[in-house]
Structure formats: structure tokens, C-alpha cells
Amino acid sequence: GFASATPAQRITLAPRVIANLTAQPAAAVSPDLAEAMTRLQPLLDGCPAYSPERRRQMQQHIDWITQPAGIPTDILIALGDDPPARLLFGMASYTAIEWRLQGRPADSCLLPIGRLVNALAVAAGEEALPEFE
């Protein structure tokens, strides 16, 4: 038999992560953040400077922020204590990478998006990205 099989590994999660998992699917987005995502959506839709993959990632993050019950459990665990803050930081990072790859054009539609999501991330306690300060 398999009597010597390795026992299942146990992972200890931070109390806030456990609370986030327990709150699913009841967790709701704050009205301010929902309003910010409503302002962001047309900017994203109207910005052709994102690669298709980056656009999908940005849209996925908007969807997860506005509908946190849709965040898969493994992603929720990876996001840690404050999923909306981490998602906003990710959006700012994706936008900064796209802008850098394109040579940082001053008239890029990526700039207002980057500034918006960076400001939201900073307000949520994340580090500011220097590109958008």
C-alpha cells in the first residue's frame, strides 16, 4: 500500500485573508471604488494603446474590484490582506509597463489611466509608481 504517503501540507493564512475568504461571496465594493471603476471603464475602452493581453488583465481587475465574489479562491489568497488595493496596484503596474514599452509618449491615453489607478492604489495604502506621481 501507500502507508508512507506524505500527509497533506497545511498552510497558515493571515487572519485578514481568512476573513476575506469567509466573506465571499458577501463582500461588496465600496461606493467610492465602484464610482472610480465606473470612471475608469470608458478610459480603458477608449485607449487603443493596451495590448490585447494587458487590456484583458485590466478588465479582469475591474471586474474583480466591482464583483469581488467572482475572485477565484486561489487568487483571493494570493492577493493577501487587501485585495482591492493589490488589484489597483496591479492595474497601475500593467499600465506603467505598457507606457514604458511604447517609449513613454506624453500624449498617450495610458497616462490618465495610470494616474487614476495609481492615485486609487496610493489611497488604498499601496506604494506610488513614480511614472504616475
Side-chain angles (χ1 to χ4, degrees):
F2 294 99
S4 63
T6 307
Q9 290 185 336
R10 301 193 69 175
I11 297 172
T12 303
L13 297 174
R16 187 74 191 276
V17 174
I18 293 168
N20 290 341
L21 290 169
T22 306
Q24 296 301 87
V29 63
S30 76
D32 288 346
L33 195 49
E35 189 272 330
M37 294 302 101
T38 300
R39 283 185 291 141
L40 177 59
Q41 189 67 61
L43 296 175
L44 176 64
D45 294 343
C47 185
Y50 284 101
S51 69
E53 182 57 29
R54 286 283 183 229
R55 179 176 304 285
R56 278 192 296 278
Q57 290 170 324
M58 292 290 288
Q59 187 62 59
Q60 182 65 79
H61 280 50
I62 290 170
D63 293 347
W64 282 341
I65 288 170
T66 58
Q67 301 161 19
I71 302 173
T73 301
D74 58 333
I75 301 294
L76 194 62
I77 291 169
L79 291 171
D81 285 359
D82 192 349
R86 295 307 301 159
L87 291 166
L88 290 165
F89 182 79
M91 292 166 63
S93 298
Y94 295 152
T95 303
I97 291 165
E98 284 292 301
W99 191 54
R100 277 193 303 258
L101 287 172
Q102 295 168 24
R104 301 177 186 201
D107 61 347
S108 175
C109 58
L110 295 168
L111 275 176
I113 295 171
R115 288 183 182 127
L116 174 60
V117 293
N118 191 56
L120 292 168
V122 169
E126 292 291 329
E127 296 264 331
L129 291 178
E131 291 90 339
F132 303 128
E133 285 192 287

mmCIF file of all heavy atoms in Angstrom, residues 32-56:
data_model
loop_
_atom_site.group_PDB
_atom_site.id
_atom_site.type_symbol
_atom_site.label_atom_id
_atom_site.label_comp_id
_atom_site.label_asym_id
_atom_site.label_seq_id
_atom_site.Cartn_x
_atom_site.Cartn_y
_atom_site.Cartn_z
ATOM 1 N N ASP A 32 -17.245 54.416 -3.237
ATOM 2 C CA ASP A 32 -16.226 55.264 -3.868
ATOM 3 C C ASP A 32 -15.426 54.488 -4.912
ATOM 4 O O ASP A 32 -15.147 54.999 -5.998
ATOM 5 C CB ASP A 32 -15.264 55.835 -2.822
ATOM 6 C CG ASP A 32 -15.904 56.905 -1.949
ATOM 7 O OD1 ASP A 32 -17.001 57.404 -2.303
ATOM 8 O OD2 ASP A 32 -15.304 57.242 -0.911
ATOM 9 N N LEU A 33 -15.061 53.262 -4.580
ATOM 10 C CA LEU A 33 -14.285 52.451 -5.512
ATOM 11 C C LEU A 33 -15.147 52.037 -6.702
ATOM 12 O O LEU A 33 -14.671 52.031 -7.841
ATOM 13 C CB LEU A 33 -13.694 51.237 -4.798
ATOM 14 C CG LEU A 33 -12.595 50.489 -5.532
ATOM 15 C CD1 LEU A 33 -11.504 51.422 -6.052
ATOM 16 C CD2 LEU A 33 -11.985 49.435 -4.623
ATOM 17 N N ALA A 34 -16.398 51.733 -6.460
ATOM 18 C CA ALA A 34 -17.314 51.401 -7.564
ATOM 19 C C ALA A 34 -17.429 52.591 -8.519
ATOM 20 O O ALA A 34 -17.383 52.421 -9.744
ATOM 21 C CB ALA A 34 -18.684 51.014 -7.016
ATOM 22 N N GLU A 35 -17.537 53.790 -7.966
ATOM 23 C CA GLU A 35 -17.645 55.000 -8.790
ATOM 24 C C GLU A 35 -16.353 55.220 -9.585
ATOM 25 O O GLU A 35 -16.387 55.570 -10.764
ATOM 26 C CB GLU A 35 -17.958 56.209 -7.890
ATOM 27 C CG GLU A 35 -18.314 57.473 -8.657
ATOM 28 C CD GLU A 35 -17.098 58.313 -9.034
ATOM 29 O OE1 GLU A 35 -16.098 58.287 -8.288
ATOM 30 O OE2 GLU A 35 -17.153 58.990 -10.073
ATOM 31 N N ALA A 36 -15.217 54.971 -8.966
ATOM 32 C CA ALA A 36 -13.930 55.117 -9.660
ATOM 33 C C ALA A 36 -13.822 54.134 -10.825
ATOM 34 O O ALA A 36 -13.330 54.479 -11.897
ATOM 35 C CB ALA A 36 -12.773 54.930 -8.681
ATOM 36 N N MET A 37 -14.309 52.904 -10.637
ATOM 37 C CA MET A 37 -14.268 51.914 -11.708
ATOM 38 C C MET A 37 -15.227 52.323 -12.841
ATOM 39 O O MET A 37 -14.945 52.078 -14.011
ATOM 40 C CB MET A 37 -14.600 50.518 -11.188
ATOM 41 C CG MET A 37 -13.576 49.930 -10.226
ATOM 42 S SD MET A 37 -11.888 49.778 -10.888
ATOM 43 C CE MET A 37 -11.095 51.212 -10.149
ATOM 44 N N THR A 38 -16.323 52.965 -12.480
ATOM 45 C CA THR A 38 -17.257 53.482 -13.490
ATOM 46 C C THR A 38 -16.589 54.569 -14.329
ATOM 47 O O THR A 38 -16.800 54.646 -15.534
ATOM 48 C CB THR A 38 -18.537 54.036 -12.799
ATOM 49 O OG1 THR A 38 -19.144 52.963 -12.089
ATOM 50 C CG2 THR A 38 -19.518 54.586 -13.810
ATOM 51 N N ARG A 39 -15.748 55.386 -13.695
ATOM 52 C CA ARG A 39 -14.985 56.413 -14.437
ATOM 53 C C ARG A 39 -13.864 55.786 -15.264
ATOM 54 O O ARG A 39 -13.537 56.277 -16.343
ATOM 55 C CB ARG A 39 -14.375 57.439 -13.471
ATOM 56 C CG ARG A 39 -15.357 58.442 -12.932
ATOM 57 C CD ARG A 39 -14.671 59.489 -12.084
ATOM 58 N NE ARG A 39 -14.186 58.866 -10.849
ATOM 59 C CZ ARG A 39 -13.034 59.143 -10.258
ATOM 60 N NH1 ARG A 39 -12.206 60.027 -10.762
ATOM 61 N NH2 ARG A 39 -12.676 58.522 -9.155
ATOM 62 N N LEU A 40 -13.283 54.717 -14.754
ATOM 63 C CA LEU A 40 -12.148 54.079 -15.430
ATOM 64 C C LEU A 40 -12.574 53.314 -16.680
ATOM 65 O O LEU A 40 -11.856 53.310 -17.681
ATOM 66 C CB LEU A 40 -11.439 53.135 -14.453
ATOM 67 C CG LEU A 40 -10.263 52.337 -15.005
ATOM 68 C CD1 LEU A 40 -9.169 53.262 -15.532
ATOM 69 C CD2 LEU A 40 -9.717 51.409 -13.938
ATOM 70 N N GLN A 41 -13.724 52.667 -16.644
ATOM 71 C CA GLN A 41 -14.136 51.793 -17.747
ATOM 72 C C GLN A 41 -14.104 52.485 -19.116
ATOM 73 O O GLN A 41 -13.510 51.949 -20.045
ATOM 74 C CB GLN A 41 -15.522 51.190 -17.469
ATOM 75 C CG GLN A 41 -15.905 50.113 -18.473
ATOM 76 C CD GLN A 41 -15.044 48.874 -18.376
ATOM 77 O OE1 GLN A 41 -15.013 48.221 -17.342
ATOM 78 N NE2 GLN A 41 -14.329 48.536 -19.441
ATOM 79 N N PRO A 42 -14.702 53.677 -19.279
ATOM 80 C CA PRO A 42 -14.638 54.301 -20.602
ATOM 81 C C PRO A 42 -13.221 54.722 -21.003
ATOM 82 O O PRO A 42 -12.897 54.733 -22.194
ATOM 83 C CB PRO A 42 -15.571 55.510 -20.506
ATOM 84 C CG PRO A 42 -15.852 55.703 -19.065
ATOM 85 C CD PRO A 42 -15.572 54.407 -18.357
ATOM 86 N N LEU A 43 -12.380 55.039 -20.034
ATOM 87 C CA LEU A 43 -10.981 55.362 -20.354
ATOM 88 C C LEU A 43 -10.280 54.126 -20.928
ATOM 89 O O LEU A 43 -9.570 54.218 -21.933
ATOM 90 C CB LEU A 43 -10.233 55.857 -19.106
ATOM 91 C CG LEU A 43 -10.703 57.163 -18.482
ATOM 92 C CD1 LEU A 43 -9.935 57.446 -17.197
ATOM 93 C CD2 LEU A 43 -10.567 58.314 -19.460
ATOM 94 N N LEU A 44 -10.494 52.982 -20.286
ATOM 95 C CA LEU A 44 -9.908 51.731 -20.772
ATOM 96 C C LEU A 44 -10.465 51.395 -22.152
ATOM 97 O O LEU A 44 -9.706 51.085 -23.080
ATOM 98 C CB LEU A 44 -10.198 50.583 -19.795
ATOM 99 C CG LEU A 44 -9.717 49.197 -20.235
ATOM 100 C CD1 LEU A 44 -8.205 49.145 -20.352
ATOM 101 C CD2 LEU A 44 -10.219 48.136 -19.268
ATOM 102 N N ASP A 45 -11.793 51.486 -22.301
ATOM 103 C CA ASP A 45 -12.433 51.149 -23.577
ATOM 104 C C ASP A 45 -11.941 52.045 -24.712
ATOM 105 O O ASP A 45 -11.856 51.602 -25.855
ATOM 106 C CB ASP A 45 -13.958 51.266 -23.461
ATOM 107 C CG ASP A 45 -14.564 50.227 -22.517
ATOM 108 O OD1 ASP A 45 -13.890 49.224 -22.195
ATOM 109 O OD2 ASP A 45 -15.721 50.436 -22.098
ATOM 110 N N GLY A 46 -11.607 53.292 -24.384
ATOM 111 C CA GLY A 46 -11.204 54.250 -25.409
ATOM 112 C C GLY A 46 -9.706 54.362 -25.611
ATOM 113 O O GLY A 46 -9.242 55.256 -26.320
ATOM 114 N N CYS A 47 -8.944 53.479 -25.010
ATOM 115 C CA CYS A 47 -7.476 53.564 -25.100
ATOM 116 C C CYS A 47 -6.933 52.399 -25.919
ATOM 117 O O CYS A 47 -6.800 51.287 -25.417
ATOM 118 C CB CYS A 47 -6.858 53.571 -23.701
ATOM 119 S SG CYS A 47 -5.063 53.806 -23.707
ATOM 120 N N PRO A 48 -6.567 52.658 -27.186
ATOM 121 C CA PRO A 48 -6.046 51.585 -28.035
ATOM 122 C C PRO A 48 -4.591 51.206 -27.733
ATOM 123 O O PRO A 48 -4.058 50.286 -28.339
ATOM 124 C CB PRO A 48 -6.172 52.166 -29.448
ATOM 125 C CG PRO A 48 -6.054 53.643 -29.251
ATOM 126 C CD PRO A 48 -6.693 53.928 -27.910
ATOM 127 N N ALA A 49 -3.960 51.891 -26.774
ATOM 128 C CA ALA A 49 -2.532 51.662 -26.523
ATOM 129 C C ALA A 49 -2.250 50.372 -25.744
ATOM 130 O O ALA A 49 -1.104 49.936 -25.690
ATOM 131 C CB ALA A 49 -1.947 52.866 -25.765
ATOM 132 N N TYR A 50 -3.275 49.764 -25.150
ATOM 133 C CA TYR A 50 -3.054 48.494 -24.445
ATOM 134 C C TYR A 50 -2.960 47.352 -25.440
ATOM 135 O O TYR A 50 -3.730 47.290 -26.395
ATOM 136 C CB TYR A 50 -4.221 48.184 -23.498
ATOM 137 C CG TYR A 50 -4.224 48.978 -22.226
ATOM 138 C CD1 TYR A 50 -5.050 50.070 -22.079
ATOM 139 C CD2 TYR A 50 -3.398 48.625 -21.161
ATOM 140 C CE1 TYR A 50 -5.066 50.804 -20.904
ATOM 141 C CE2 TYR A 50 -3.407 49.353 -19.987
ATOM 142 C CZ TYR A 50 -4.238 50.437 -19.857
ATOM 143 O OH TYR A 50 -4.251 51.162 -18.704
ATOM 144 N N SER A 51 -2.027 46.437 -25.177
ATOM 145 C CA SER A 51 -2.007 45.192 -25.945
ATOM 146 C C SER A 51 -3.265 44.402 -25.565
ATOM 147 O O SER A 51 -3.842 44.630 -24.500
ATOM 148 C CB SER A 51 -0.760 44.377 -25.586
ATOM 149 O OG SER A 51 -0.854 43.884 -24.256
ATOM 150 N N PRO A 52 -3.702 43.479 -26.431
ATOM 151 C CA PRO A 52 -4.896 42.695 -26.092
ATOM 152 C C PRO A 52 -4.794 41.984 -24.736
ATOM 153 O O PRO A 52 -5.748 41.985 -23.962
ATOM 154 C CB PRO A 52 -5.011 41.693 -27.238
ATOM 155 C CG PRO A 52 -4.346 42.376 -28.395
ATOM 156 C CD PRO A 52 -3.215 43.171 -27.783
ATOM 157 N N GLU A 53 -3.625 41.431 -24.428
ATOM 158 C CA GLU A 53 -3.448 40.720 -23.155
ATOM 159 C C GLU A 53 -3.548 41.683 -21.973
ATOM 160 O O GLU A 53 -4.201 41.390 -20.977
ATOM 161 C CB GLU A 53 -2.108 39.980 -23.135
ATOM 162 C CG GLU A 53 -1.882 39.178 -21.866
ATOM 163 C CD GLU A 53 -2.960 38.144 -21.561
ATOM 164 O OE1 GLU A 53 -3.609 37.616 -22.485
ATOM 165 O OE2 GLU A 53 -3.170 37.869 -20.361
ATOM 166 N N ARG A 54 -2.900 42.834 -22.076
ATOM 167 C CA ARG A 54 -2.973 43.828 -20.993
ATOM 168 C C ARG A 54 -4.405 44.330 -20.822
ATOM 169 O O ARG A 54 -4.853 44.521 -19.698
ATOM 170 C CB ARG A 54 -2.059 45.014 -21.266
ATOM 171 C CG ARG A 54 -0.624 44.712 -21.062
ATOM 172 C CD ARG A 54 -0.257 44.695 -19.578
ATOM 173 N NE ARG A 54 1.161 44.465 -19.471
ATOM 174 C CZ ARG A 54 1.719 43.562 -18.687
ATOM 175 N NH1 ARG A 54 0.984 42.825 -17.897
ATOM 176 N NH2 ARG A 54 3.018 43.410 -18.667
ATOM 177 N N ARG A 55 -5.099 44.549 -21.924
ATOM 178 C CA ARG A 55 -6.499 45.002 -21.848
ATOM 179 C C ARG A 55 -7.339 43.968 -21.098
ATOM 180 O O ARG A 55 -8.157 44.308 -20.245
ATOM 181 C CB ARG A 55 -7.055 45.234 -23.251
ATOM 182 C CG ARG A 55 -8.520 45.675 -23.275
ATOM 183 C CD ARG A 55 -8.993 45.986 -24.678
ATOM 184 N NE ARG A 55 -8.162 46.988 -25.301
ATOM 185 C CZ ARG A 55 -8.209 48.295 -25.011
ATOM 186 N NH1 ARG A 55 -9.063 48.749 -24.131
ATOM 187 N NH2 ARG A 55 -7.412 49.140 -25.624
ATOM 188 N N ARG A 56 -7.127 42.674 -21.401
ATOM 189 C CA ARG A 56 -7.864 41.602 -20.698
ATOM 190 C C ARG A 56 -7.539 41.623 -19.202
ATOM 191 O O ARG A 56 -8.431 41.464 -18.366
ATOM 192 C CB ARG A 56 -7.525 40.230 -21.289
ATOM 193 C CG ARG A 56 -8.319 39.891 -22.547
ATOM 194 C CD ARG A 56 -8.163 38.424 -22.939
ATOM 195 N NE ARG A 56 -6.797 38.061 -23.307
ATOM 196 C CZ ARG A 56 -6.266 38.281 -24.513
ATOM 197 N NH1 ARG A 56 -6.980 38.855 -25.467
ATOM 198 N NH2 ARG A 56 -5.025 37.917 -24.769
#
